[in-house]
């Protein structure tokens, strides 16, 4: 489990085919400073398992489903990535609960610069739209963010906006995102659970009043 608070920007150093997936090698000195084989590390929002490591990086296997669901399939050597180690039990939960299980991808539709911040509008798959609310939490490329605006439920194409402060622009890869770029999305786990529970809720039926009487 993660919090969406990025610890460092790493770099993809190698992408090697492995069956129908790939083996990624990532330079991330801080992440491997206390890592061991089998540990979880988030790379741009995707939870990966360390299979090998060096003094300044690690290797992880990425299955086809992950490549299909996320932007990892487009990564090449030299691609910068957001890196976060798994949450320690004694640490502060600075962002929100992030699993590293990508729901899908969105595309940057617009970037509006401000004096000290930047607003980014990102497309939202219709299946994810009910899970994203104004002032709610969402992870974009692994970064815990607060939704600052969202499209209406009746919109033909759904989107949401995030407002990025200078710290986020500097410390994460989101500062380099431009129109047309794809990003990984993970919706709030609480919203996903509520949606699932609602689908299993039994239907309610009205009991008609007896003729000439009242309920």
């Amino acid at each position: 489990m993660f919090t969406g608070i990025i610890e460092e920007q790493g770099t993809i150093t190698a992408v090697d085919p492995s069956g129908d997936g790939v083996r990624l090698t990532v330079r991330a000195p801080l992440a491997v400073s206390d890592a061991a084989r089998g540990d979880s590390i988030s790379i741009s929002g995707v939870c990966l398992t360390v299979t090998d490591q060096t003094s300044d990086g690690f290797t992880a296997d990425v299955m086809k489903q992950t490549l299909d669901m996320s932007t990892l399939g487009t990564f090449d050597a030299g691609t910068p990535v957001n890196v976060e180690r798994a949450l320690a039990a004694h640490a502060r939960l600075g962002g929100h609960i992030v699993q590293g299980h990508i729901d899908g991808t969105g595309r940057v539709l617009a970037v509006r610069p401000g004096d000290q911040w930047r607003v980014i509008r990102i497309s939202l798959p219709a299946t994810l739209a009910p899970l994203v609310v104004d002032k709610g939490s969402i992870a974009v490329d692994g970064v815990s963010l607060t939704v600052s605006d969202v499209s209406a439920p009746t919109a033909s194409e759904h989107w949401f906006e995030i407002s990025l402060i200078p710290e986020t622009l500097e410390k994460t890869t989101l500062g380099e995102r431009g129109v047309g770029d794809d990003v990984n999305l993970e919706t709030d786990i609480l919203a996903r659970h509520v949606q699932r529970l609602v689908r299993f809720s039994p239907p309610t039926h009205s009991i008609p009043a007896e003729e000439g009487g009242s309920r």
Side-chain angles (χ1 to χ4, degrees):
M1 187 174 70
F2 307 92
T3 69
I5 304 300
I6 302 306
E7 297 184 290
E8 66 177 324
Q9 283 197 51
T11 305
I12 301 296
T13 59
V15 181
D16 300 309
S18 178
D20 60 357
V22 299
R23 179 162 292 176
L24 287 183
T25 302
V26 186
R27 184 182 183 279
L30 177 60
V32 298
S33 63
D34 61 352
R37 185 183 181 93
D39 283 356
S40 295
I41 298 178
S42 171
I43 298 301
S44 289
V46 181
C47 178
L48 299 180
T49 300
V50 175
T51 59
D52 197 7
Q53 68 182 97
T54 63
S55 60
D56 67 349
F58 71 97
T59 299
D61 293 313
V62 185
M63 67 179 66
K64 183 179 185 301
Q65 181 183 16
T66 303
L67 297 175
D68 292 340
M69 288 288 294
S70 72
T71 62
L72 265 63
T74 67
F75 285 3
D76 297 313
T79 299
V81 292
N82 296 321
V83 182
E84 181 190 357
R85 290 171 291 184
L87 174 67
H90 64 276
R92 292 184 175 89
L93 185 62
H96 72 282
I97 296 174
V98 177
Q99 293 182 295
H101 302 161
I102 301 302
D103 294 314
T105 61
R107 180 160 294 175
V108 175
L109 301 176
V111 178
R112 301 198 307 274
D115 292 337
Q116 295 183 334
W117 61 85
R118 190 175 302 166
V119 177
I120 299 182
R121 178 174 291 191
I122 300 172
S123 67
L124 191 60
T127 54
L128 302 183
L131 305 175
V132 180
V133 299
D134 189 22
K135 305 302 185 291
S137 296
I138 191 167
V140 179
D141 277 350
V143 184
S144 173
L145 296 163
T146 300
V147 176
S148 57
D149 198 5
V150 68
S151 57
T154 56
S156 58
E157 295 186 357
H158 295 283
W159 52 263
F160 69 97
E161 290 184 348
I162 48 177
S163 299
L164 307 180
I165 61 175
E167 177 74 6
T168 305
L169 294 170
E170 179 183 353
K171 298 297 185 181
T172 76
T173 60
L174 296 181
E176 304 300 321
R177 289 289 172 255
V179 174
D181 288 346
D182 291 329
V183 293
N184 293 320
L185 304 177
E186 182 183 336
T187 57
D188 189 350
I189 184 175
L190 297 179
R192 298 200 302 272
H193 275 295
V194 170
Q195 183 186 63
R196 181 69 169 169
L197 288 170
V198 169
R199 288 176 176 172
F200 275 90
S201 297
T204 57
H205 300 285
S206 298
I207 301 175
E210 293 182 7
E211 185 176 352
S214 60
R215 278 186 279 183

